[in-house]
Amino acid sequence: MSGAASFVPTPLLLSDSAKARLKALGEAEGKSGLTLRVYVTGGGCSGFQYGFDLAEDIADDDTLIEFGDVALVVDPLSYQYLVGSTVDYEEGLAGARFLIQNPNATTTCGCGASFMV
């Protein structure tokens, strides 16, 4: 193989527990194929914070990443901060929540809801 190799960023990943939770949410609402919108906003104790919402509409410039019967959708501004991250779901003493495991974050807050790159 000759020439310069091109780098293709790893898209977002979805853990098995997050897939299972999205599937369960869809079944509870009588819908199949739920799409979770993942986004980044300014604020939080570390500079940026993560947000999650069930996507009703998908814009032309959004990135849709499908995982069988569930999917993630990310807007172009947020995508650059989330490339290579894994969306996970956990239930514990702090409650139940979706969270991001972000290899791009240089600093995160104690609860993992905000980060800095």
Side-chain angles (χ1 to χ4, degrees):
M1 191 167 164
S2 64
S6 62
F7 175 73
V8 177
T10 305
L12 273 73
L13 302 174
L14 190 62
S15 74
D16 289 342
S17 61
K19 287 177 194 173
R21 182 59 183 156
L22 279 174
K23 218 174 202 182
L25 286 171
E27 290 169 1
E29 292 188 17
K31 297 179 183 177
S32 64
L34 277 186
T35 301
L36 181 67
R37 179 172 291 281
V38 183
Y39 58 92
V40 172
T41 59
C45 52
S46 294
F48 295 102
Q49 59 188 11
Y50 302 113
F52 302 94
D53 196 6
L54 294 179
E56 295 293 326
D57 298 313
I58 299 173
D60 290 339
D61 60 349
D62 283 341
T63 298
L64 180 67
I65 307 163
E66 296 179 312
F67 300 91
D69 53 354
V70 295
L72 295 175
V73 65
V74 184
D75 65 86
L77 182 63
S78 299
Y79 187 84
Q80 64 186 326
Y81 296 110
L82 296 170
V83 169
S85 297
T86 300
V87 177
D88 198 6
Y89 179 78
E90 71 175 13
E91 294 181 13
L93 296 176
R97 64 185 178 145
F98 285 102
L99 59 110
I100 301 281
Q101 296 168 359
N102 189 343
N104 305 309
T106 58
T107 306
T108 58
C109 67
C111 66
S114 68
F115 69 103
M116 182 180 298
V117 288

